[in-house]
Amino acid sequence: MPTNEVPPRIAVIGAGISGLTCATELAERGHSMTVFDKARGPGGRMSTRRVPDLGVGDDFDHGAQYFTVRSPELTLRVERWTTDGVVAPWYARVIAICPDGIDESSRQTQRVVGTPGMNAICRRLAESLDTRFGVQVSAIEKNRDGWAVLDEAGDTLGTYEVVLCTAPAPQTEKLLRGIAPAIAERAATVRMQPCWSVLVAFTDPVRVDFDAAFVNSGPLSWVARTSAKPARETSPDRWVLHAGPRWSAEHLEDDADRVIEALLPAFFDAIGAPSSKPAWSKGHRWRYALAENPLDDGCLYDSSLGIGACGDWANGNRVEGAFLSGLRLAKEVEQALHR
Ligand SMILES: Cc1cc2nc3c(=O)[nH]c(=O)nc-3n(C[C@H](O)[C@H](O)[C@H](O)COP(=O)(O)OP(=O)(O)OC[C@H]3O[C@@H](n4cnc5c(N)ncnc54)[C@H](O)[C@@H]3O)c2cc1C
């Protein structure tokens, strides 16, 4: 961009991995970026929940558990983040608990986690950006100078030449329906599955010889000793239990305490350990956890409107898909602004 030009103002809705990747890429190219998120901090579905009352070890990765790295783009980034201390390999013993026994085949997968929590990457990315947390964007309206972004009270959060939405597909569809119908229609084709997550801490460690397990029967789909990940305090013994999409959908509106009552016995049943009373537990519902039928578009951008969308749901799912989707959207916006 020529130095005497005023950079276009760009709003990004969502401070998850896709939004922050997109925003940092564009900021590095000299664009004026503002990132809004309704949550209290960065991370989105890569958040880490802290429970100060628990004592020394007080963190739970209650959304994404780890990620895998296949693309050269993420490989390069992970090398940098490793040097910076915000990620580390997780050499875990991960098993699959099947109705007919234990399967060890997923043990070979190379897993990476944020350190000291899954949210570390997003926190690092957010450091260099203008971020506004605790702000829910409720509408985007055309005005004379561009797009006015409005909060829940209808107050303006500024006017921007470009607005990029990185919320899960149903929320993106709702925000863009009236202003970018083609993008909204694409987002509307994506079904997102819920996930009930139970966070639980035990004073006496649960007696099992693995760190995490895919669970292939009953209500659960995954259990992990979150305190066994690198750079975490090991005490108290902290576990994250994820219910499968079907069970989560059937119990979507259940009270969190009822969900804990159902999933704790299922946990002990699945791992074959004697049940014990947790020192602390909490249920967290992810209404939009994973896309059932993600797009392979990479990202969605209408350069004539200056409206775009990205996220895991637009690019094959999961952390790596979301990261690549954010990179791709930044590239498309950059190219369009220089045409
Ligand atoms: C329970 C669970 C387990 C998972 N396990 C794994 C795993 O092991 N490995 C893996 O690779 N992936 C996993 N995933 C998926 C992974 O977390 C996501 O693919 C990835 O984090 C998505 O990033 P994103 O930036 O696309 O979206 P998000 O992280 O969802 O970011 C979107 C952001 O937009 C914000 N937002 C939404 N609407 C508004 C609004 N109106 N105004 C302001 N802000 C708004 C939200 O608060 C959120 O922070 C898991 C997800 C869940 C929920």
Side-chain angles (χ1 to χ4, degrees), residues 13-19 36-39 43-46 62-67 135-137 166-168 171 175 195 242 286 289-290 311-312 317-320 322:
I13 302 164
I17 184 84
S18 67
F36 298 101
D37 202 299
K38 62 184 179 180
R45 281 171 279 155
M46 288 178 83
H62 61 332
Q65 299 292 294
Y66 62 84
F67 60 96
V135 176
Q136 171 147 4
V137 173
T166 76
Q171 296 166 330
L175 273 175
C195 176
H242 285 165
W286 295 97
L290 286 177
D312 58 342
N317 249 341
R318 306 216 162 248
V319 169
E320 185 162 29

Side-chain angles (χ1 to χ4, degrees), residues 153-217:
D155 293 331
T156 178
L157 299 164
T159 296
Y160 302 86
E161 278 84 7
V162 175
V163 177
L164 308 173
C165 187
T166 76
Q171 296 166 330
T172 290
E173 190 268 331
K174 198 170 160 210
L175 273 175
L176 301 188
R177 196 185 294 152
I179 56 164
I183 298 178
E185 270 168 37
R186 252 345 246 138
T189 64
V190 179
R191 294 182 299 279
M192 294 203 69
Q193 299 168 320
C195 176
W196 264 109
S197 182
V198 167
L199 324 180
V200 57
F202 299 96
T203 311
D204 296 323
V206 175
R207 289 194 192 182
V208 285
D209 60 358
F210 57 83
D211 301 305
F214 295 97
V215 184
N216 292 329
S217 62

Side-chain angles (χ1 to χ4, degrees), residues 10-27 29 31 33-35 73 77 140 161-167 172 176 180 183 296-315 320-339:
I10 304 177
V12 173
I13 302 164
I17 184 84
S18 67
L20 292 171
T21 299
C22 182
T24 44
E25 286 293 303
L26 287 166
R29 281 163 184 73
H31 299 292
M33 307 302 300
T34 308
V35 182
E73 293 91 339
R77 212 53 72 94
I140 306 161
E161 278 84 7
V162 175
V163 177
L164 308 173
C165 187
T166 76
T172 290
L176 301 188
I183 298 178
D296 56 8
D297 298 38
C299 67
L300 304 160
Y301 187 55
D302 185 328
S303 58
S304 65
L305 294 172
I307 296 284
C310 69
D312 58 342
W313 56 270
N315 191 43
E320 185 162 29
F323 165 80
L324 292 171
S325 182
L327 270 191
R328 173 83 175 269
L329 183 58
K331 200 169 164 190
E332 292 208 11
V333 171
E334 171 73 1
Q335 282 170 353
L337 290 173
H338 280 91
R339 234 175 255 147

Side-chain angles (χ1 to χ4, degrees), residues 225-249:
R225 179 174 262 149
T226 202
S227 46
K229 292 180 180 178
R232 273 77 168 170
E233 293 290 342
T234 52
S235 175
D237 190 27
R238 304 184 300 290
W239 286 79
V240 171
L241 325 178
H242 285 165
R246 189 161 165 196
W247 192 93
S248 298

